[in-house]
Amino acid sequence: MAYKTGIEGFITETLKERFGEMDKIRAVFREMKDDAESLRDNLLIDIANPEYSDLKRNVIAVDGSNYQEQFESISITIATAYAYLNNKQIERYLPNVKIVPPYYSNLVNSIRMRNLEYNVALDVIKEINNQKETVDLILLDGAMTFPDEALGDYIDNVPWVKEVYDEHHEAVNNFFDYVIDNNIPTAAVVKDSMANKYFLSLYSALNNFKNNSEIDYEFLQKNKDFINKWNKEGTYNIVSENSFLRNLFYKKQFCRTKYAEVTCSLRNEIPAKQLRGNVIGFYFKSLPSEKPFFVEVPIHFKDKIDDITQLLSTYSYYSLRPGYPFPLYVAHKKVELKKKYAKNIALILRNIARKDLKEDYNLLFSDKFHDKL
């Protein structure tokens, strides 16, 4: 039904949502709370408390940042990556500036940023190895299971996606081949997990058990009603698993969930060949007042999980951002592309283009019509 005034329509639709979808979500939250309380003892494992001496160990942290400006015919994409070794005061930047067509430019820039992260991390690791130093842990920001092979669907029609896709294949395989072959523990920390990957992996394991996680088949069978709530027909698929996790970790500290193999929950394979079917994931929490973070680790390092979580515990406790590993916090702050700074970089490129293109400049760099309205 159409309304006579906009405000009348918004009020009516807001009330519909309040007494419709909100009631459903509220009921789901209550159900989640009950499930979390009943499963807490079976899903959570305590981890070691922080050790001040761990701060002297060598941890490499990697993060990236990107920015873009869109015009009618092209986009300017700016991406950068940063890696540093905490004790040796080694830091390296790897920036990239590209002009690409506007279609899929967000996707292209995100993947290019991730490629830069893998490349700059590999440069630092090799530099440290050449100095005969030991790297105790590499911390990546964001899931190592992103992106998946679904990108291939765009390749035939979008050549600049194929370009960045091929670059990613090379970068991600070079990185993980090196760290796995040289036995360098690596973990990816996901700040905002919204994919329900962990519990979807339990659903996949229930239907195709492979004995590659800490969760045994007996637990899956016993709790299959709960696990089935996370599939596409389940009651929990309308919200992220974050709501359940807050209840599961309620008032808990220095603990994690049992790990599960998580690539089984993806719809497509990931480009890193050594990681296919070989990534374990778990939720980790250090301080009772902070949220849990999702952690992904190549299954090749499963015997080092206790050492990895020990370092996460220490660096999350002794952090300027309590609950979040300090090396990643530093990397995030150092690499962050401030809008004013990024706009100035884009402006330099536009000024160069204006000089080179002359009268053809406006054909490429004209503002989008919508932005002029």
Side-chain angles (χ1 to χ4, degrees):
M1 180 184 75
Y3 301 95
K4 292 182 178 179
T5 65
I7 190 64
E8 177 190 2
F10 279 118
I11 291 173
T12 303
E13 293 302 314
T14 300
L15 291 175
K16 281 184 183 178
E17 189 69 10
R18 176 189 176 189
F19 295 109
E21 200 63 31
M22 288 296 291
D23 278 345
K24 293 179 185 177
I25 294 175
R26 194 177 296 114
V28 169
F29 284 168
R30 287 194 291 266
E31 189 176 346
M32 279 185 165
K33 184 177 181 182
D34 293 339
D35 281 338
E37 290 173 355
S38 66
L39 294 172
R40 186 175 293 133
D41 292 340
N42 290 316
L43 271 182
L44 295 185
I45 298 175
D46 290 332
I47 62 174
N49 288 331
E51 291 285 348
Y52 188 78
S53 59
D54 284 338
L55 298 178
K56 297 180 181 179
R57 299 176 68 183
N58 288 334
V59 176
I60 294 175
V62 189
D63 199 1
S65 184
N66 65 69
Y67 169 86
Q68 70 171 313
E69 288 186 0
Q70 289 191 332
F71 301 90
E72 283 281 9
S73 301
I74 60 156
S75 288
I76 296 176
T77 62
I78 300 171
T80 186
Y82 170 83
Y84 90 111
L85 180 67
N86 59 322
N87 285 319
K88 296 296 181 181
Q89 297 299 308
I90 294 175
E91 58 179 2
R92 297 291 182 268
Y93 291 88
L94 188 59
N96 181 270
V97 181
K98 287 275 189 179
I99 294 177
V100 299
Y103 317 109
Y104 305 106
S105 57
N106 284 323
L107 175 64
V108 168
N109 207 25
S110 295
I111 299 171
R112 183 167 283 125
M113 179 190 74
R114 179 53 56 90
N115 296 346
L116 295 174
E117 291 176 23
Y118 286 130
N119 288 334
V120 74
L122 189 57
D123 283 350
V124 172
I125 297 164
K126 289 181 176 180
E127 184 175 342
I128 299 304
N129 275 359
N130 289 337
Q131 297 174 10
K132 307 303 181 183
E133 294 279 351
T134 299
V135 176
D136 295 296
L137 181 64
I138 303 167
L139 286 176
L140 305 173
D141 179 81
M144 62 179 63
T145 51
F146 166 86
D148 61 35
E149 295 275 23
L151 274 177
D153 296 339
Y154 301 104
I155 285 179
D156 291 336
N157 298 321
V158 191
W160 52 96
V161 176
K162 175 174 171 49
E163 178 186 344
V164 75
Y165 179 81
D166 291 342
E167 289 172 0
H168 182 72
H169 258 274
E170 181 178 2
V172 71
N173 280 290
N174 286 345
F175 175 81
F176 282 108
D177 286 349
Y178 190 88
V179 298
I180 290 171
D181 293 347
N182 288 274
N183 199 28
I184 305 172
T186 303
V189 178
V190 185
K191 294 190 286 292
D192 299 299
S193 178
M194 306 292 278
N196 294 345
K197 191 185 303 179
Y198 180 79
F199 292 105
L200 284 173
S201 69
L202 300 189
Y203 174 75
S204 296
L206 176 63
N207 294 282
N208 186 21
F209 188 70
K210 294 184 178 179
N211 198 29
N212 54 2
S213 76
E214 290 179 313
I215 300 171
D216 56 40
Y217 190 66
E218 181 181 353
F219 172 87
L220 299 175
Q221 276 289 333
K222 183 180 178 180
N223 296 283
K224 62 182 179 181
D225 289 341
F226 161 75
I227 293 171
N228 283 327
K229 293 176 184 178
W230 296 96
N231 68 22
K232 60 183 179 181
E233 289 87 21
T235 54
Y236 289 174
N237 70 352
I238 62 172
V239 294
S240 82
E241 57 193 32
N242 182 60
S243 306
F244 177 83
L245 293 164
R246 287 188 177 273
N247 287 308
L248 184 70
F249 283 96
Y250 182 62
K251 292 186 176 179
K252 301 287 285 184
Q253 63 178 354
F254 301 115
C255 61
R256 66 171 175 87
T257 59
K258 294 178 179 179
Y259 68 70
E261 201 292 309
V262 296
T263 64
C264 63
S265 67
L266 304 177
R267 285 177 288 184
N268 299 88
E269 285 188 329
I270 55 178
K273 294 177 181 178
Q274 291 214 52
L275 298 188
R276 292 175 181 174
N278 292 315
V279 178
I280 54 179
F282 57 89
Y283 278 93
F284 159 87
K285 185 178 180 182
S286 56
L287 301 177
S289 59
E290 301 302 322
K291 63 168 284 183
F293 296 104
F294 193 59
V295 180
E296 294 180 347
V297 177
I299 204 169
H300 312 76
F301 305 121
K302 67 178 182 180
D303 293 337
K304 298 186 178 185
I305 286 293
D306 289 343
D307 192 50
I308 291 171
T309 54
Q310 167 77 67
L311 288 171
L312 288 173
S313 172
T314 297
Y315 281 99
S316 297
Y317 183 77
Y318 296 105
S319 178
L320 291 176
R321 174 60 175 88
Y324 188 65
F326 179 67
L328 280 178
Y329 174 80
V330 172
H332 173 77
K333 288 298 183 182
K334 293 282 283 187
V335 79
E336 187 176 13
L337 278 173
K338 300 294 186 183
K339 187 174 181 179
K340 183 177 180 181
Y341 178 77
K343 285 178 71 72
N344 284 336
I345 295 174
L347 180 60
I348 291 172
L349 181 60
R350 287 166 58 190
N351 285 339
I352 293 173
R354 183 180 283 109
K355 181 179 180 180
D356 292 343
L357 297 175
K358 298 182 172 57
E359 64 272 9
D360 293 329
Y361 172 83
N362 287 327
L363 294 176
L364 290 177
F365 289 92
S366 57
D367 292 332
K368 298 179 73 173
F369 178 77
H370 183 273
D371 296 337
K372 299 178 181 178
L373 293 178

